[in-house]
Amino acid sequence: MPRQSRSSLARFFQRRSSSSGTGSRPGGNDARRQTVAHLGEFIGSRVGVEAYVEPPTTDIPSTILLVATTGEWTRRRVPDERTAFDIANQLGVPVYNVRFTGYPQRMRDWNSAQRRSR
C-alpha cells in the first residue's frame, strides 16, 4: 500500500460543507452570539455559576466550562483562552484557569450521579 502524505490524510478527515456552499456551522460573529446566548441562559437558570477556562488540546481548541453549584455543567468551544476569559467577564461570573485550579469536586460528583442514574 503506498504511503499517503499527512496533508491528504488530514483532508480526508476534514468536515465537508454542504453542496450549497453554506455549512451547518455558523460564522464567527454569529457563533460568538450563539455561544454567549447559550452561556447566558445557563447562568440565568442556575445558581452560583463559575467559569473554568480549559486550554487547547491537539484536537480541540480552548473551551469555556460553566459549572453551577449543583455540579451541572456546560462547555463551549472558543477561539482562544483570552476570549474565554473575556466572555466570562462579560457574563459577570467568576473565572478560573483549570490548569491551576483543576475541576471542581461538585462537577465530578454530578457526573458520577448521572452515570449511576442511567
Side-chain angles (χ1 to χ4, degrees):
M1 178 175 193
R3 186 172 175 171
Q4 295 181 344
S5 70
R6 287 183 180 220
S7 63
S8 65
L9 285 175
R11 273 195 309 270
F12 179 75
F13 288 105
Q14 287 178 340
R15 293 181 186 219
R16 294 188 176 108
S17 62
S18 65
S19 59
S20 67
T22 57
S24 60
R25 297 177 69 175
N29 286 337
D30 193 38
R32 182 180 173 115
R33 254 191 312 266
Q34 288 178 3
T35 296
V36 171
H38 170 78
L39 298 175
E41 178 187 318
F42 185 87
I43 291 167
S45 61
R46 287 152 185 92
V47 177
V49 176
E50 295 175 327
Y52 292 84
V53 177
E54 297 175 307
T57 66
T58 55
D59 299 328
I60 301 172
S62 296
T63 56
I64 182 169
L65 173 74
L66 298 184
V67 182
T69 55
T70 60
E72 187 177 1
W73 57 272
T74 188
R75 175 183 285 129
R76 289 294 180 264
R77 292 180 182 186
V78 291
D80 54 45
E81 293 178 68
R82 182 76 252 154
T83 302
F85 279 100
D86 291 344
I87 290 172
N89 288 326
Q90 176 186 342
L91 293 170
V93 295
V95 59
Y96 308 100
N97 189 325
V98 81
R99 288 184 207 170
F100 304 118
T101 62
Y103 294 96
Q105 183 63 46
R106 64 185 181 277
M107 178 183 162
R108 291 191 293 268
D109 294 343
W110 189 84
N111 286 340
S112 294
Q114 295 304 306
R115 275 188 234 112
R116 282 193 302 273
S117 68
R118 289 184 184 168

